[in-house]
Amino acid sequence: MKIAILPGDGIGKEIVAEAVLVLSALDLSFETETALVGGAAFEAHGHPLPETTLALAKSADAILFGAVGDWKYDTLERPLRPEQAILGLRKHLGLFANFRPAICYEQLVDASSLKPELIAGLDILIIRELTGDIYFGQPRGRRTAVDGHFPGSEEAFDTMRYSRPEVERIAHVAFQAARKRSKRVTSVDKSNVLETFQFWRDVVTEVGGQYPDVALDHMYVDNAAMQLVRAPKKFDVVVTGNMFGDILSDEAAMLTGSIGMLPSASLNAAGQGLYEPSHGSAPDIAGKGIANPLATILSAAMMLRFSLNQAQAADRIEAAVRSVLSQGLRTADIHSPGTTLVGTRAMGQAVVKALGK
Ligand code: NAD
């Protein structure tokens, strides 16, 4: 097993270091190789996704990714900005299926801005299509070259499109995931207004015919945004396009209290995956040793389960995370009165210690 470690920028380095310590404590045999990505790679090699980093990512069984980006790169032309590294990895590796579980740990019920009864026991899975939709539409190249503007023109536009194979494959992923859970899929679209999403709805319905044991319903995205805060536990697996998924998965993340708790997996057809926390590089707290490493540690657990066939080891990590929360340990983002405030390193070490129990 070979794992590419790409810590990236900001808190990326701090949180990935803790996840690597946790992986090392598991007594599994795997090889790791670390490379620069994002702003760190731009500084060293003049590009956010250097050829060597891409080659390492392609050759690995799985990638553990921290986060990229810093406001200081906002004036760079778009293809050189750190965020292009993650888009490039998704594109080059064909990572079309993004899994974002939103789980509310019972110990953190009070950290959510919603009433405890609405989110206690919450366990939903948002599956976002990651390589199509408006983010990969036609004018992308032209717009990129001139930094968001068409000089001398009075308008800008982006093209929303999906092809049948793109919708079919993400629908299959969702139905198969639902089979391992409570056998319900909600497909989120905007078919009342957009042709692209009428097509999406038709294709998802067709694919659903192959999964008679899974219940499928459809919901417009505006209603889904509302229902996620009104009655989130009514959802189980949610499947949606790239842009709607981007927005809804961040909304779902906050239901659980902190984005610092939420892992994600992005998979390709071969099961190779990139695993990263749902949050960004948090430049506001970088270097202070206070970032929550649990989303990254839980991403490492997803990596063991989805790409490395080590489900038991993944269970052990998840149990260890529950254990440290039960001990009352909290980083600043999830801290509340009566709990013990710890930093990034102490939280990582506590998870390692809990693994041994
Ligand atoms: P962010 O997710 O980095 O931070 C949002 C807020 O959440 C901040 O207040 C931050 O301190 C807090 N936060 C995030 N992760 C945390 C953690 N583990 N522990 C405690 N608090 C945490 O989003 P942003 O501020 O909008 O973006 C910062 C940079 O990250 C930008 O350059 C953006 O483009 C980039 N970004 C990268 C990715 C990625 O690498 N996949 C994703 C999103 C944003």
Side-chain angles (χ1 to χ4, degrees), residues 7-9 11 15 65-74 82-83 86-87 90 100 246 250 254 258-262 264 274 276-286 290-296 331-334 344:
D9 307 319
I11 61 169
I15 54 182
F65 189 91
V68 288
D70 191 295
W71 303 309
K72 72 179 173 190
Y73 301 113
D74 282 357
E83 292 80 0
I86 186 74
L87 293 177
R90 286 174 187 162
R100 284 240 215 154
D246 191 2
D250 266 25
M254 278 321 292
S258 171
I259 202 159
M261 290 298 302
L262 292 172
S264 80
L274 181 146
E276 58 171 335
S278 296
H279 57 77
S281 56
D284 54 337
I285 57 167
I290 60 171
N292 186 345
L294 293 180
T296 316
T331 43
D333 56 312
I334 50 174
T344 312

Side-chain angles (χ1 to χ4, degrees), residues 38-88:
F42 174 77
E43 302 284 352
H45 304 292
H47 197 280
L49 183 58
E51 279 300 323
T52 46
T53 302
L54 182 58
L56 168 65
K58 283 182 173 169
S59 72
D61 297 298
I63 301 153
L64 185 64
F65 189 91
V68 288
D70 191 295
W71 303 309
K72 72 179 173 190
Y73 301 113
D74 282 357
T75 50
L76 280 178
E77 59 175 304
R78 205 167 285 275
L80 295 179
R81 290 197 200 165
E83 292 80 0
Q84 293 301 314
I86 186 74
L87 293 177

